[in-house]
Amino acid sequence: MDFSPGVSYFFGQLSKAFLAPGSHISLLSLAGAFLIAFAFLSLRRYRKGRRIRVRALLRALFPRHIVTSKSSMADLGYFYFNIFVFGLVFGWALLSYEVVSHSVAEALTAAFGPRAPTALPAYAYRTAITIMVFLAYELGYWVNHYLSHRIPFLWEFHKVHHSATVLTPLTNFRVHPIYMCIFLNILALFIGAANGLGDYIFGLATHQYLLSENNIILVFFIYLYVHLQHTQLWISFTGWLGHLFMSPAHHQIHHSRNPAHFNKNLGSCLALWDWMFGTLYVPAAEPEKLEFGVEPDRPNAHTIRGELFAPFANAVLLLRSLFDRRPQASPLPAPEQKRA
Ligand SMILES: [Zn+2]
Ligand SMILES: [Zn+2]
């Protein structure tokens, strides 16, 4: 039997994930996150007048109880699933944003007539489209996340992400395939619409600035603090900064089991949409005591059965109970008897 296609797929996916500089989990961006975390902890110790010792810092960055926890193992399982299996099984269910973009540009041309190609230099309209697509990504992320928290059927699938009881950069991958499908389709709609609108406004096919197929502004935030959102390092943006950007502390609040924090901070890199839609919770400068997870005593909380299959069963049960609760249709009134 020839295993080479499988082996090359395995290494191809691994190198796409870790070596492509614009990937969500590139080694380069992880190194960047590590350096920022290291500098942050050193500065905190320095301010408290404590000695800066590398071993103590490394222990603080990688506490054994977090690295070896069941929750982290489940994150690893989901990382494997989402890197190697998701595309193979669910690729067919995903909309292409290029198709959406073409349709939107065509619909706008049909409605308002064609536009002459812009006289702006390429860097100007490419910068504009890069910002538009990034804002559309953030809005699509917020909308999908809001629906996932507010619609009980969708919450069953998103709950998988929230059942993590410790946060590490791999928790980013702890997302159920159904959540992922809906997320990627909503993203295709929002990003496609923004790109199509840009093509129409500028009168030509525009191309955002990309790094390894990812919007360059998004990649910038991945390097800056996206990995640190899933850690217990309390790096918080307060004041106006906290109204614009989703600091690591913002996202830790999102994972908190304190009811005051439920359904808050639904954005990805920006806090802007949360601020506009009233779901923003700006964290304090000093660390708040947080516990992560949902129903932490739930059996199978970190197993394949509990995290991959149970959400399907729970979602179906939920739908059934919804239909069962609908009022029964009353029987048709009997036709009036004709009097003899
Ligand atoms: Zn959430
Ligand atoms: Zn999260």
Side-chain angles (χ1 to χ4, degrees), residues 236-316:
S236 72
F237 301 159
T238 56
W240 66 268
L241 215 58
H243 285 75
L244 295 181
F245 300 104
M246 190 66 62
S247 70
H250 277 77
H251 194 69
Q252 288 153 23
I253 290 282
H254 179 68
H255 277 268
S256 160
R257 285 177 55 208
N258 180 347
H261 300 151
F262 288 175
N263 308 324
K264 298 290 184 197
N265 299 349
L266 301 161
S268 170
C269 311
L270 300 183
L272 181 72
W273 297 116
D274 281 293
W275 184 24
M276 281 183 65
F277 298 131
T279 51
L280 180 64
Y281 182 105
V282 179
E286 287 305 311
E288 295 185 40
K289 184 125 185 59
L290 302 178
E291 271 182 78
F292 303 131
V294 279
E295 310 163 42
D297 304 328
R298 184 162 51 107
N300 308 319
H302 304 298
T303 63
I304 292 181
R305 195 174 125 204
E307 296 298 77
L308 191 61
F309 298 118
F312 285 111
N314 294 342
V316 168

